[in-house]
Amino acid sequence: MTPAIAIDDVRKTYGTAEALAGVTLQVDRGEVFGYVGPNGAGKTTTLKILAGLIRPTSGRVSVAGIDVLEKPLDAKARVGYVPESGALFEKLSAREYLTLTGRLYGLDEAHIQDRVAHWLRFFDLHARAGEPIAALSKGLKQRVCWMAALLHDPDVLILDEPLNGLDVETVARVKDLMAALAAGGRTVFYSSHLIDIVELVCTRVAVLHRGRVLAAGTVAEVQDALGASSLEDALLGLTRETT
Amino acid sequence: MSDVLPAGREAPFVPPDGRIDRRQLGALLRLLMAQMVRRGTDASSGMSGNPLLQTLYSMTFLGLLAAGGAFRAADLDSFLARIFASALVIVALMITAEADDARMRRAEILLPKPISGATHLAAAAAILFFTSALIAASYALLPLLAATWRLGLSPLLVPLLLVMLVLGAFGLVLVWVLVLRLGVHRFGADRIRMATQIAIVALIGLVTWSTLATMTRATSGPPALSAAMLDLLPSTWLARFWTDDWGAAANLRRAGAIGLVATCALVFVRYGHRASADAIFETTSRGRLTRAPLLARLLTGLGRAPGLRILLPPPAAALAGCIVTLGRREEASRMRGFVTTLLAIGFAAWGFWSDGGLMPIAILASVIVSVTLEGLSVARQSASAPAAWAIAKSPMSARHLVRGVQWAVMTRFVLVPLGLFAALAFRSHTWGLALTLALGGLLSARLIVAAALAFRPSYPLDEPPVVTGMLGQAVAWAAGMAGAVAYVVAAMLTQLLGTLGTLLVGAATVGVGVIAMAAQMLAAHRFSRLEHAG
């Protein structure tokens, strides 16, 4: 079976700084895959490459069986992305932003209205959907980012610190959502520092350090590989080493 | 789980590569235009307000100044050539590079979406057309109308000339954005933005100088291009497109104008798509060590000096240093006061090298007052206003807060005009009167800051940056005029009453000092009751 995400010996340099030093990973369809590592490990760079924001210096990347470098539009059409920055056009209302995002993904108007209504209900943002995004709190803005990433029902969802600012109830819903997406055959690639949630929702994880994958597998396998009693201990060790 | 995911799945939509998708283009334009023209905070500069109205106001005002040229132009052709040339320069300078952060956020929103390069390019061209047309037309309209009145331009030609100007401006910006992109890659967005800001200020200075020369009927205005040089400029070909004769040379110029615009469009289509997102993230990934500005370091040093602690206590010095540092770094603040300081230097030069009488010193007195008000608004504002909680929650006394703001405003904004005012005063008046006047200027500036803080106390750097409105500008102008009048009255009193006049001026200065102290105490009292929302 074609993997949902295939990263093959990907390197990325910014000037003289090497952000990724040969990352190789495979994520299967229907997986919630955790991507963890200390600050500056190269997680966001990997996610930006997968989302088609930047190109790797060398190596190959495919998403949903499509080569991201050869057919970027095909790949982007199948990917949803929640950026760490929570970037949105904040002068628009959530409803305007989502409607226009739906058009950018080529959804027909009826589908857009259905999906916008569905996700506004799911993320409990109906009442404030007409306000400019700039007027919303950080957590509500993050919900809009989620909705925009889900609107076109992507095969692969790429999440960079997606729980930033979310309240407890929304985090619980999002955990259910990730499980439902995986059960429905979609793939979630989830980068976060919240190790307890990664352990809870991810079927497999990869630990990245200084642009290299140190270990990948189930949480237990990764703990064994890194000689740590928990994923958190493994990361603490790496972080201390970095600092 | 069935209620979590929406029902029904569609096959993913993939737009044709290399072609424009009209529906995507419409959505993209609506997103970008709404973000550009709606009221709110500008992602690049941090200024809040309605960008559309701000552009319209500022360009129309600049156009009003330029319209004065119709009164001294030798003929219609040379006037039109100058207006077109200046309009194109203004358009180029107004369309500057986006700040790194704004570019990165836009890229994070748009680049992961399946939009073809052709659609991106078409959206960029449409936005550039709208922006360049708005700037060029709002700047040139009043000068063209002035030309119908003074230089016999047919009113029917005004819309046709505007069309040519907009076309030329559009062609220019298509190439200009490519140049800016190269500049950003080589020097960084921040330096490019700063360079264009300085150039805009210089241009405004030139236009103002030219207008003043017209109004005062001075024999010399700013340096201008000769008629022969003007003829060589492509902007002149556009300007004379409708007014030239129909001979071979004129038709060649017409063809040249159209050809140039078409070439610009072709260059944009050829190279415009090379908007590498890597470059955006690479530029922002480059870290740079920063150091506080010299003035901020000086203030902190002064605060530590044993003898000066009474005048500048360390907490006030630290706050003043913080205000000065942010004011220099934040784009919304760093150019504030620059035009006024340039004006002060210009008037001081006038006072030194020509016999301007009391006028240059009076204008400098006016500048001291208006620059103090401008400096105070900069001290109150910051693009990162929510971070002002750090000042509000710091264990700093209200008295030190007021003094910190006073020192920041005085050193960054008032020092240069006050120094020039004092130098001119010593040149034109007796030693005693000059010293009194300089002291009066210093105390007046302190009084203005303290009184304004007492009237409307607000934590430093706690308000989002906004362009000063018409009312604020009128108040600053009126206060500046009051400063000028106060100086003239002081000088006249001394001329009429001799030593007694100087004594009276001295007494008034002491009075200003006492009121400044009282205002400072009142401001501190009101600060102590201030609550911070953050």
Side-chain angles (χ1 to χ4, degrees):
Chain A
M1 192 173 69
T2 313
I5 296 171
I7 305 172
D8 184 16
D9 195 24
V10 164
R11 291 167 195 276
K12 178 67 188 176
T13 52
Y14 293 111
T16 53
E18 191 173 46
L20 296 179
V23 170
T24 299
L25 272 178
Q26 280 204 357
V27 181
D28 292 329
R29 209 167 152 251
E31 265 199 285
V32 179
F33 190 88
Y35 200 50
V36 297
N39 291 337
K43 300 187 298 294
T44 297
T45 299
T46 313
L47 267 56
K48 281 177 179 165
I49 290 171
L50 287 173
L53 273 160
I54 54 176
R55 298 167 69 87
T57 310
S58 67
R60 304 200 69 79
V61 184
S62 71
V63 174
I66 297 161
D67 192 306
V68 173
L69 300 176
E70 284 177 7
K71 292 185 171 179
L73 294 181
D74 292 63
K76 286 175 183 182
R78 289 161 174 84
V79 169
Y81 176 54
V82 176
E84 184 189 17
S85 66
L88 294 163
F89 287 128
E90 298 201 351
K91 291 183 186 175
L92 285 94
S93 69
R95 193 184 295 281
E96 284 175 318
Y97 180 73
L98 294 171
T99 304
L100 293 171
T101 299
R103 287 183 198 159
L104 289 178
Y105 279 106
L107 302 178
D108 64 53
E109 292 300 320
H111 253 92
I112 291 173
Q113 295 317 316
D114 285 351
R115 298 251 172 106
V116 169
H118 173 86
W119 290 119
L120 283 173
R121 239 186 345 264
F122 180 85
F123 283 100
D124 196 17
L125 206 71
H126 246 299
R128 305 194 61 185
E131 291 179 32
I133 295 171
L136 303 179
S137 68
K138 187 180 176 185
L140 297 185
K141 285 178 188 171
Q142 189 70 357
R143 294 186 203 183
V144 181
C145 284
W146 266 96
M147 288 186 257
L150 290 163
L151 207 60
H152 59 297
D153 199 357
D155 293 329
V156 175
L157 196 61
I158 293 164
L159 310 172
D160 197 355
E161 295 293 350
L163 306 183
N164 277 348
L166 296 182
D167 56 30
V168 181
E169 193 189 336
T170 314
V171 168
R173 273 190 210 188
V174 161
K175 282 195 275 186
D176 288 347
L177 173 63
M178 285 200 265
L181 285 166
R186 284 81 157 181
T187 306
V188 179
F189 195 82
Y190 171 40
S191 169
S192 176
H193 287 108
L194 302 173
I195 300 302
D196 49 344
I197 295 181
V198 171
E199 283 181 330
L200 202 67
V201 300
C202 294
T203 41
R204 288 197 304 144
V205 293
V207 178
L208 192 72
H209 184 48
R210 291 179 178 159
R212 287 186 174 81
V213 175
L214 293 189
T218 61
V219 171
E221 285 168 352
V222 168
Q223 283 170 13
D224 282 350
L226 297 176
S229 57
S230 69
L231 200 54
E232 191 173 14
D233 278 347
L235 279 174
L236 269 175
L238 292 176
T239 309
R240 284 181 189 137
E241 192 186 312
T242 308
T243 52
Chain B
M1 295 295 174
S2 59
D3 61 331
V4 175
L5 300 179
R9 287 194 84 181
E10 284 181 325
F13 163 78
V14 183
D17 201 6
R19 299 235 307 269
I20 296 170
D21 183 278
R22 285 169 62 183
R23 189 157 173 262
Q24 279 190 323
L25 178 61
L28 196 52
L29 280 175
R30 280 192 61 186
L31 275 172
L32 296 171
M33 290 294 279
Q35 190 63 15
M36 193 169 78
V37 304
R38 283 190 191 171
R39 189 181 177 78
T41 304
D42 180 71
S44 275
S45 66
M47 296 292 281
S48 74
N50 186 324
L52 196 67
L53 286 180
Q54 280 166 13
T55 306
L56 269 176
Y57 287 151
S58 57
M59 287 301 108
T60 307
F61 180 70
L62 215 54
L64 183 67
L65 293 180
F71 292 84
R72 41 185 280 151
D75 55 63
L76 176 65
D77 276 353
S78 67
F79 178 68
L80 287 180
R82 284 175 210 285
I83 290 300
F84 269 56
S86 56
L88 295 188
V89 172
I90 287 171
V91 167
L93 293 178
M94 290 290 287
I95 294 177
T96 185
E98 265 183 308
D100 281 334
D101 189 45
R103 276 190 311 146
M104 197 171 77
R105 284 179 154 259
R106 190 163 49 79
E108 282 199 315
I109 297 169
L110 295 179
L111 290 186
K113 298 185 169 52
I115 305 167
S116 71
T119 306
H120 272 301
L121 205 65
I127 297 282
L128 286 174
F129 178 78
F130 171 79
T131 316
S132 56
L134 179 74
I135 297 168
S138 52
Y139 168 74
L141 184 63
L142 289 180
L144 290 181
L145 292 177
T148 61
W149 178 37
R150 293 289 299 182
L151 299 167
L153 174 69
S154 161
L156 293 174
L157 281 180
V158 171
L160 292 175
L161 283 167
L162 283 175
V163 168
M164 291 317 293
L165 180 63
V166 167
L167 209 61
F170 181 50
L172 174 71
V173 297
L174 287 179
V175 174
W176 178 243
V177 290
L178 299 181
V179 174
L180 283 176
R181 190 177 294 164
L182 280 177
V184 167
H185 189 64
R186 179 74 186 81
F187 304 108
D190 195 49
R191 283 184 187 167
I192 294 292
R193 288 180 69 82
M194 190 151 174
T196 47
Q197 282 178 331
I198 291 172
I200 289 171
V201 168
L203 191 79
I204 292 171
L206 276 178
V207 173
T208 312
W209 183 6
S210 172
T211 310
L212 282 174
T214 306
M215 285 165 63
T216 58
R217 299 186 186 282
T219 47
S220 63
L225 288 174
S226 67
M229 290 281 281
L230 266 180
D231 282 347
L232 293 175
L233 293 178
S235 57
T236 307
W237 309 344
L238 289 159
R240 295 178 187 162
F241 196 89
W242 304 109
T243 56
D244 243 348
D245 59 44
W246 294 94
N251 284 336
L252 198 65
R253 281 197 292 273
R254 286 190 182 94
I258 298 293
L260 257 179
V261 174
T263 307
C264 291
L266 285 175
V267 168
F268 181 73
V269 171
R270 176 78 180 79
Y271 298 103
H273 70 281
R274 291 189 184 171
S276 162
D278 284 69
I280 296 172
F281 292 101
E282 198 165 332
T283 315
T284 50
S285 296
R286 244 178 252 154
R288 262 188 330 188
L289 290 174
T290 52
R291 206 173 173 203
L294 180 66
L295 180 58
R297 282 181 277 143
L298 204 64
L299 281 167
T300 313
L302 282 176
R304 289 195 193 118
L308 290 167
R309 285 184 178 200
I310 299 168
L311 278 176
L312 179 58
L319 175 63
C322 177
I323 296 170
V324 166
T325 304
L326 268 180
R328 285 260 188 252
R329 297 231 174 107
E330 287 191 351
E331 191 175 306
S333 312
R334 67 184 173 200
M335 299 303 287
R336 300 277 292 271
F338 190 65
V339 178
T340 321
T341 306
L342 278 184
L343 276 177
I345 292 169
F347 284 117
W350 176 28
F352 277 114
W353 281 292
S354 70
D355 184 20
L358 297 183
M359 188 59 96
I361 316 182
I363 293 175
L364 278 174
S366 150
V367 166
I368 289 171
V369 175
S370 51
V371 88
T372 306
L373 287 168
E374 197 172 356
L376 181 62
S377 63
V378 171
R380 287 187 198 266
Q381 299 170 0
S382 164
S384 27
W389 66 267
I391 295 171
K393 306 292 182 237
S394 69
M396 185 182 284
S397 71
R399 199 165 47 91
H400 288 156
L401 270 172
V402 176
R403 292 178 78 176
V405 174
Q406 275 181 326
W407 270 92
V409 174
M410 299 297 291
T411 49
R412 188 186 151 192
F413 292 94
V414 182
L415 201 60
V416 172
L418 183 65
L420 294 168
F421 171 80
L424 273 184
F426 275 101
R427 192 170 175 267
S428 307
H429 301 290
T430 60
W431 187 86
L433 178 62
L435 190 66
T436 312
L437 287 172
L439 194 64
L442 177 80
L443 292 173
S444 302
R446 283 176 65 91
L447 169 62
I448 290 166
V449 177
L453 289 176
F455 179 68
R456 188 173 72 79
S458 72
Y459 282 107
L461 311 171
D462 194 28
E463 297 171 0
V466 285
V467 178
T468 309
M470 293 295 272
L471 182 67
Q473 287 188 9
V475 168
W477 183 82
M481 280 297 117
V485 169
Y487 160 72
V488 173
V489 168
M492 300 288 273
L493 267 180
T494 315
Q495 261 182 7
L496 290 171
L497 305 175
T499 312
L500 178 64
T502 308
L503 285 174
L504 281 174
V505 174
T509 304
V510 172
V512 169
V514 171
I515 299 170
M517 285 269 254
Q520 203 171 311
M521 285 161 69
L522 180 62
H525 173 70
R526 294 207 62 193
F527 258 102
S528 63
R529 295 171 169 223
L530 201 60
E531 287 182 354
H532 190 262

